Amino acid sequence: MPAETLHGLAGKVRKPGQYLGLEWNPSPARTAGAALRVALGFPDAYEIGMSCLGFLLVHGLINSTPGAAAERFFCPMPDMEAAMRGAGVPLFTAESGSLVRGFDVVAFSLQYEILFTNVLNALDLAGIPIRSSDRGEGDPMVIAGGPASMAPEPMAPFIDAFLPGDAEDTLPGFLEAVSRAIESGASRAEKLETFAKLRGVYVPSLYGPTPDGRVLPLREGLPGRITTGICGDLENSFFPVSPPVPAVETAHERIVLEIMRGCPNFCRFCQAGFTRRPPRTRSKEKILELARLAYRNTGYQSISLASLSSSDYPGIAGLLADLVAEFSPKAVGVSMPSLRVDEGLLSLPAGLSDVRKSGLTLAPEAACAGLRRSVNKHVRDEDLDDIAMLAWESGWRVLKLYFMIGLPGETADDRAAVVDLAHRISGLRRRSGKGPGQVNVTISNFVPRPHTPMQWCAMETGANLDGFQRELRRRVRMKSVRLKMHDPRRNLIETLLARGDRSVAAVVEGAWRLGARFDAWDELFKPDLYDRAIAEAGVDPARFTGSKARDEAFPWEIIDPGVSRDFLLAEYGKSLSAELTGPCKAGSCAGCGADPSKCMFVR
């Protein structure tokens, strides 16, 4: 795209810098001479996509694959979209301004379901037919991966191939297969046939739904279920130590170090905890090496240790101490994401007192012991109080607590206990001779996610959730306690999109055609558009948001994350009786010596 055209468009919109390629350490536009050209898209704004480690990892991974080269693209905000459509300018890449439709492969990182309408908008804005069946020989192959590809059926008509699971395992082989197919002159149909036989690749046009809810191959020779990719060697896998550094403000401006993938706990509501097993770690030495390289290449003043449960990382106290010792003199803060509340955190006093004290995040999920047991959350009130007291005494200014409401079996007393607990944690700060501590409480609405023991549960109705939220707000009596609530209407749509079958694709397309964009943004979310789309598609949302029979087949079971249905059913039964399951003691299912007959990771 000519620079004058781009600058002319950017001059008409808010935050023009996100469209102008203003970056330090920029990614070179190497695609012109590459054998395989990939346009990698994040279906949200630049400021969100450039804060996503998974997106940056896949971008770097493609560019480290021989013969392949990737450029990034993002969804333009509504003002920029209007300007582009008005001027007849198709969607373009960040590196070179090349047209997205001119690449061999267009790949989307699907981080959450509420982005689905943005995927359709990006394809349309690029000039690519939104439905796979309408694409011809001259159109790029459209693929998708990321967490939302674990239940892909609502997006099946729009995506040529899904790569669920770890990209490090499946993406390089897929790209090699694409290169060979292009070199051989294979037709589009022949390419799809070839891709469908690759391990870890789902080509939905070659599969079809059955009346009983299953998804089956339409011809012989194709796998009955798609095995997800697993990166078996996290220690030596690719990591983006030299990502582009935006010159404009983004959601998170920090070095994010993935110290562990997977989780040894079995929180029954957590999809990632069941689909990203087994737990794998990087060594302390490797993490320190990556931290040094990333700091040298980016200059960020904050390091975040990322995993599903960082406090379960073996030797977390030593890692934290070494990072603080090395980076504190450089005025670089070290932070951890939400932490599992147990006595293990009490072994981190040095780290807790030295890392940047903007806010410590704890996720009890439920305030009462019985409800915690039902979701398999190993949290004791005494540990929570001890950790909060330690944080207040160590100088932390804010404690952040995460809870869910609408959980199966929840009572009014369970919900009231959320505010009571927040009051208690705030008041503990008085013991150190100070005033009450600031406690920020984020309350989400339970979404029964696929591939979890709670996939058989129903989501609470929107009317009930609205009432629960009003009830919680009325109970707050301390100015030091603040509640932030998630919109029940968005979570209900999220549940529909997460648990839907292929018929829900009509809802996604209908909402997009009615104008749904950036549905994750509060100021742009328009639930009435989904209401209209649902009515026009003739879809009954209760089919997907309601409870499920134990013997019911699920459309998402076309994807095999390596966790048996029997294990999930057993855990579902335990949730009904509020029975705890102990954390995995093996730590890894490769060479760990665990009895395979008793291991939930059954692949």
Side-chain angles (χ1 to χ4, degrees), residues 49-58 239-240 256-258 282 306:
M50 287 305 293
S51 299
C52 177
L53 175 60
F55 176 73
L56 296 175
L57 188 153
V58 171
F239 190 82
V256 180
L257 297 176
E258 185 186 28
R282 286 191 167 96

Side-chain angles (χ1 to χ4, degrees), residues 34-182:
L36 181 67
R37 303 172 68 241
V38 180
L40 176 64
F42 193 89
D44 206 326
Y46 175 89
E47 63 190 272
I48 306 299
M50 287 305 293
S51 299
C52 177
L53 175 60
F55 176 73
L56 296 175
L57 188 153
V58 171
H59 177 246
L61 179 66
I62 296 172
N63 281 323
S64 68
T65 300
E71 296 188 22
R72 296 159 294 144
F73 69 93
F74 305 88
C75 284
M77 296 298 289
D79 56 353
M80 184 62 165
E81 179 193 343
M84 291 171 64
R85 290 190 185 277
V89 174
L91 192 60
F92 52 87
T93 62
E95 280 84 353
S96 66
S98 299
L99 299 186
V100 169
R101 69 185 179 209
F103 285 72
D104 302 307
V105 174
V106 172
F108 287 98
S109 177
L110 299 180
Q111 294 298 312
Y112 30 91
E113 294 83 4
I114 211 71
L115 296 178
F116 285 171
T117 56
N118 273 13
V119 173
L120 303 197
N121 200 46
L123 289 172
D124 184 67
L125 193 54
I128 300 169
I130 65 167
R131 287 187 170 257
S132 175
S133 58
D134 294 332
R135 294 178 197 134
E137 298 298 336
D139 291 314
M141 197 65 63
V142 178
I143 69 172
S149 66
M150 298 300 298
E153 287 306 290
M155 289 295 285
F158 313 115
I159 303 297
D160 295 316
F162 289 95
L163 279 69
D166 293 342
E168 299 98 327
D169 183 39
T170 54
L171 186 56
F174 176 81
L175 296 177
E176 182 181 349
V178 177
S179 293
R180 289 198 304 267
I182 292 174

Side-chain angles (χ1 to χ4, degrees), residues 205-415:
S205 62
L206 300 180
Y207 290 74
T210 64
D212 65 356
R214 294 178 296 162
V215 176
L216 298 176
L218 297 175
R219 61 199 69 181
E220 294 183 358
L222 299 180
R225 297 187 74 193
I226 310 302
T227 302
T228 55
I230 294 180
C231 175
D233 183 10
L234 192 65
E235 177 80 358
N236 298 303
S237 65
F238 175 83
F239 190 82
V241 294
S242 186
V245 178
V248 297
E249 184 179 7
T250 57
H252 301 297
E253 298 178 331
R254 61 195 179 197
I255 297 166
V256 180
L257 297 176
E258 185 186 28
I259 63 175
M260 180 170 70
R261 190 173 298 179
C263 182
N265 304 302
F266 297 105
C267 298
R268 295 185 178 114
F269 56 83
C270 180
Q271 185 183 69
F274 285 91
T275 61
R276 307 197 75 183
R277 297 191 63 82
R280 292 143 285 165
T281 61
R282 286 191 167 96
S283 68
K284 181 175 74 171
E285 293 72 25
K286 173 61 74 170
I287 294 167
L288 289 167
E289 174 191 340
L290 297 176
R292 294 180 190 115
L293 290 170
Y295 175 69
R296 185 180 70 192
N297 293 329
T298 67
Y300 282 131
Q301 294 298 295
S302 179
I303 296 173
S304 177
L305 305 184
S307 75
L308 291 174
S309 181
S310 294
S311 52
D312 284 305
Y313 176 85
I316 184 63
L319 171 62
L320 188 58
D322 286 355
L323 284 167
V324 169
E326 180 164 344
F327 287 95
S328 284
K330 299 179 174 71
V332 176
V334 181
S335 64
M336 296 173 70
S338 60
L339 303 171
R340 183 165 61 86
V341 180
D342 65 6
E343 66 276 6
L345 276 186
L346 298 174
S347 67
L348 305 178
L352 288 175
S353 64
D354 289 334
V355 296
R356 197 167 282 175
K357 299 181 180 63
S358 57
L360 180 66
T361 302
L362 305 172
E365 306 296 354
C368 293
L371 205 54
R372 289 177 191 155
R373 284 195 298 271
S374 74
V375 298
N376 203 41
K377 199 74 178 181
H378 295 252
V379 175
R380 301 187 307 169
D381 282 346
E382 51 265 42
D383 291 332
L384 184 59
D385 288 354
D386 288 346
I387 292 162
M389 195 65 225
L390 173 62
W392 295 136
E393 291 174 343
S394 299
W396 288 82
R397 297 188 296 272
V398 178
L399 285 185
K400 303 173 186 176
L401 301 178
Y402 277 87
F403 294 94
M404 281 189 292
I405 60 172
L407 286 163
E410 178 185 270
T411 67
D413 288 342
D414 290 319
R415 292 188 293 274

